[in-house]
């Protein structure tokens, strides 16, 4: 899952990026509205966390420009402005959620997960794939016996993106996007190693053929697996 | 509860009662004087009539008075008694009614003597004692029923040598006087009651504006002090008080609004650092086994704490500057050296852009002002320059004599990231330039503090951004503004 953070506070930006990256999200973090727009145009993000009071321009204008340009990325506004008018205005301009500072990191993660589910039209945060279950709300994977499978954040992100896009072949680039963040950009080989490791862990859980390879194209999970 | 209206009415009644009493007493005195004079005149007239009945015959006095004559000469039929003496005090004759009692001997040969006396039979009476010289008896005078008394040889008959005392009952007079006074008193009381009643109504009417004012005051809502008391319909005596009250509530409202805005601003400003602290703590706690991440969070916590410390210091400085009464401690300040000192202190701490000060102020320029407050102003202005100016550029300080008694101190620097629109917001609380808001090193209060302190020092502050991206702040010092600032003209 890709997340773009547009936040002028250096500390908030850094903590958010680190925390979300630890959870396996691919995070890009920028300080200004202009940079945010540039990043949003260049990459396809699952969620954009947008501050309203940015040094160069108002966050609401960034949101409006995004929507005017046809971008449907989910936007979560994160602002110190907590008035009803501000919240209503933000939501009316196309934001999908609104959080007021200070906020709980846990709640923010839950809302991001909720937005992700909404993107893939899922009501239930728990997805069953063969014998294993994936809880997208807490970002945990369970084997057939109900034991937690200890995946690295990158492995989880690859599994989650494959499950949420089940039936579709995802290219290596797409998988790279899912595990990419602004500090480190894994190459295709790293992603291949991650997929390999993920397959081994799934095999241990009794799901050897869950992730399939489309030679020369990418990886996929069949719809029948669900 | 004390009521002005009741007080006025009470004092009015007391005053009216006092006037009524004084009027009654005055009328008593006037009546007494007037009637006494009239009665005395009549009494003297009667006494003189009686004296005509006394005549001298040879070496004796013939007295033709009878008690029945007294009734006859009294037109109102009062009881009267008489007594006649010779100048040696010997009684020649007296009314039978007196019996063994005598009328008082108040002899005066010059004028009649009047007295109020009390007699056994008559009671209170008005008395006159008249000195007379009896006429010579005529042959035609009847001798019947008349007493004849011889005059002792030692009695001189050269002047008045017979005294006639006549006392007339005055009970009727006293009663008449009392009746008159009572009537007068009642009339005055009735009149005064009417006056009091009318005045009470006038007072009630005069108090209607007070009642209306009370209604308006009761309608004042402590949550909305923007309401004003209408002064159109109130008496002009109350206008200053009501105007003062309106001004007072307006000031309170302004103060409330300022406080509310201040609290809102502060609360809003604190949201982000609090969010930073909370997030850093939560992320650090969740991945406490990652030493790199935890160290990073600690560093962020430190940075945020320092920012908050700076914010709190700025808020306190602003609060101190905004106090209504700021104590100014005047000192003679040598501007050139003072500017150099302020700049030196700042660049000792940090000068990341490598700025250089160009101080063109004359080294003999002197002003008398509060040096501590001026230093805060300069440090904030230099601090802004150190953050926003171009790399390795100049910070220029100059002092201009405006030739009208004013002097203007100008601090200017290059500000490549500044826009014209920024100048209009620069003195607003919590307004930050684009750079400061992103690095969190500025609270956005510095220029507000500068503005506040400049006002305290009695100076005029203005900001300008020229087309060549030079940002300048000018502080205009007024001439001889005692005790705030005095400018020595040795510029």
């Amino acid at each position: 899952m890709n997340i773009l953070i547009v936040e002028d506070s250096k500390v908030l930006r850094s903590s958010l990026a680190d925390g979300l990256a630890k959870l396996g999200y691919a995070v890009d973090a920028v300080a200004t509205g202009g940079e945010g727009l540039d990043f949003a145009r260049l990459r396809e993000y699952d969620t954009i966390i947008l501050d309203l009071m940015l040094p160069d321009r108002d966050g609401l204008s960034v949101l409006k420009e995004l929507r005017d340009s046809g971008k449907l990325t989910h936007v979560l506004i994160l602002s110190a402005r907590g008035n009803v008018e501000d919240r209503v205005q933000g939501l009316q301009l196309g934001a999908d959620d609104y959080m007021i500072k200070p906020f709980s990191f846990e709640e923010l993660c839950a809302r991001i997960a909720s937005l992700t589910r909404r993107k893939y039209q899922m009501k239930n945060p728990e997805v069953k794939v063969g014998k294993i279950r994936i809880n997208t709300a807490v970002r945990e994977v369970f084997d057939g016996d109900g034991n937690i499978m200890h995946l690295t954040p990158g492995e989880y992100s690859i599994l989650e993106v494959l499950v949420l896009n089940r039936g579709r072949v995802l290219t290596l680039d797409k998988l790279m996007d899912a595990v990419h963040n602004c500090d480190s950009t894994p190459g295709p080989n790293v992603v291949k190693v991650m997929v390999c490791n993920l397959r081994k862990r799934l095999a241990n859980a009794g799901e050897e053929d869950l992730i399939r390879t489309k030679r020369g194209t990418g990886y996929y999970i069949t719809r029948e697996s669900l | 509860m004390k009521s002005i209206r009741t007080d006025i009415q009470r004092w009015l009644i007391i005053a009216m009662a006092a006037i009524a009493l004084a009027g009654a007493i005055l009328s008593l005195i006037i009546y007494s004087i007037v009637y006494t004079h009239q009665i005395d005149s009549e009494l003297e007239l009667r006494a003189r009539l009686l004296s005509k009945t006394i005549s001298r015959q040879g070496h004796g006095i013939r007295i033709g008075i009878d008690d029945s004559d007294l009734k006859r000469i009294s037109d109102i039929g009062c009881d009267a008694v008489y007594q006649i003496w010779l100048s040696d005090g010997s009684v020649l004759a007296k009314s039978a009614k007196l019996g063994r009692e005598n009328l008082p001997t108040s002899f005066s040969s010059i004028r009649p003597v009047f007295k109020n006396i009390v007699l056994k039979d008559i009671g209170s009476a008005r008395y006159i004692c008249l000195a007379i010289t009896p006429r010579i008896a005529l042959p035609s005078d009847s001798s019947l029923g008349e007493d004849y008394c011889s005059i002792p040889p030692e009695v001189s008959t050269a002047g008045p040598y017979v005294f006639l005392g006549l006392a007339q009952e005055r009970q009727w007079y006293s009663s008449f006087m009392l009746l008159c006074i009572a009537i007068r008193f009642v009339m005055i009381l009735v009149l005064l009651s009417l006056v009091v009643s009318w005045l009470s109504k006038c007072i009630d009417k005069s108090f209607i504006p007070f009642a209306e004012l009370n209604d308006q005051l009761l309608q004042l809502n402590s949550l909305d002090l923007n309401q004003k008391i209408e002064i159109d319909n109130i008496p002009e005596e109350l206008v200053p008080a009501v105007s003062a009250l309106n001004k007072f509530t307006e000031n309170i409202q302004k103060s409330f609004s300022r406080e509310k805005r201040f609290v809102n601003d502060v609360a809003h400003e604190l949201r982000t650092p609090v969010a930073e602290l909370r997030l850093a703590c939560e992320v650090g706690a969740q991945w406490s086994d990652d030493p790199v991440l935890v160290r990073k969070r600690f560093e962020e916590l430190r940075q945020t704490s320092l920012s908050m410390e700076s914010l709190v210091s700025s808020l306190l400085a602003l609060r101190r500057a905004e106090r209504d009464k700021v104590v100014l401690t005047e000192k003679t300040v040598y501007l050139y050296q003072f500017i150099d000192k302020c700049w030196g202190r700042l660049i000792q701490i940090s000068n990341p852009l490598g700025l250089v000060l160009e101080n063109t102020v004359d080294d003999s320029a002197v002003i008398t002002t509060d040096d501590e407050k001026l230093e805060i102003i300069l440090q904030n202005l230099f601090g802004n320059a150190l953050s926003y100016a171009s790399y390795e550029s100049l910070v220029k300080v100059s002092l201009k004599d405006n030739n009208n008694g004013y002097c203007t101190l100008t601090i200017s620097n290059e500000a490549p990231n500044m826009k014209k629109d920024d100048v209009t917001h620069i003195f607003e609380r919590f307004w930050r330039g684009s750079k400061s808001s992103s690095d969190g090193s500025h609270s956005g209060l510095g220029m507000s503090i500068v503005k506040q302190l400049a006002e305290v020092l009695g100076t005029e502050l203005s900001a300008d951004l020229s087309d060549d991206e030079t940002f300048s702040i000018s502080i205009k010092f007024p001439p001889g503004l005692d005790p705030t600032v005095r400018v020595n003209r040795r510029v």
Side-chain angles (χ1 to χ4, degrees), chain B residues 386-397:
Chain B
L386 288 171
S387 296
Y388 304 126
S390 303
Y391 186 69
E392 290 186 347
S393 59
L394 290 175
V395 175
K396 298 177 182 173
V397 184

Side-chain angles (χ1 to χ4, degrees), chain B residues 199-378:
Chain B
L199 284 176
S200 293
K201 283 187 178 173
C202 289
I203 290 168
D204 285 347
K205 202 175 172 184
S206 303
F207 272 85
I208 289 173
F210 280 94
E212 289 173 355
L213 181 61
N214 279 340
D215 287 343
Q216 287 198 57
L217 289 171
L218 288 171
Q219 283 169 7
L220 283 181
N221 184 351
S222 61
L223 298 175
D224 181 14
L225 293 173
N226 283 321
Q227 297 173 85
K228 291 273 181 296
I229 297 170
E230 296 292 334
I231 57 170
D232 297 340
N233 298 321
I234 61 170
E236 63 178 70
E237 291 83 358
L238 290 175
V239 169
V242 172
S243 299
L245 185 65
N246 279 339
K247 186 77 184 164
F248 182 63
T249 53
E250 187 185 326
N251 286 340
I252 290 177
Q253 180 59 37
K254 275 184 189 169
S255 184
F256 278 168
S257 302
R258 197 168 57 227
E259 289 296 317
K260 196 176 166 185
R261 198 170 57 246
F262 186 76
V263 170
N264 280 341
D265 288 347
V266 171
H268 184 262
E269 277 306 306
L270 286 174
R271 280 180 185 274
T272 298
V274 169
E276 289 172 358
L277 294 177
R278 184 172 175 177
L279 186 65
C281 290
E282 286 182 2
V283 170
Q286 193 162 343
W287 289 281
S288 56
D289 54 344
D290 183 339
V292 176
L293 183 140
V294 170
R295 263 201 303 277
K296 203 171 166 188
R297 297 290 85 77
F298 272 122
E299 177 54 29
E300 286 168 357
L301 286 173
R302 195 183 71 83
Q303 281 176 15
T304 306
S305 304
L306 288 174
S307 296
M308 290 182 82
E309 193 180 313
S310 163
L311 175 67
V312 170
S313 300
S314 298
L315 284 171
L316 287 173
L318 184 62
R319 181 53 43 199
R320 278 196 294 272
E322 281 184 344
R323 278 187 308 194
D324 292 336
K325 288 182 180 175
V326 178
V327 180
L328 296 175
T329 312
E330 277 190 336
K331 277 184 184 172
T332 301
V333 177
Y334 287 85
L335 264 182
Y336 179 84
Q337 292 85 341
F338 190 75
I339 290 162
D340 268 359
K341 187 181 78 178
C342 292
W343 174 261
R345 282 186 185 169
L346 270 185
I347 59 168
Q348 263 184 359
I349 301 166
S350 168
N351 186 7
L353 301 173
L355 302 186
V356 176
L357 177 72
E358 185 183 281
N359 186 354
T360 59
V361 175
D362 192 296
D363 59 3
S364 63
V366 173
I367 61 166
T368 306
T369 187
D370 189 311
D371 60 332
E372 286 184 12
K373 291 175 178 58
L374 184 62
E375 184 172 348
I376 295 171
I377 291 175
L378 290 178

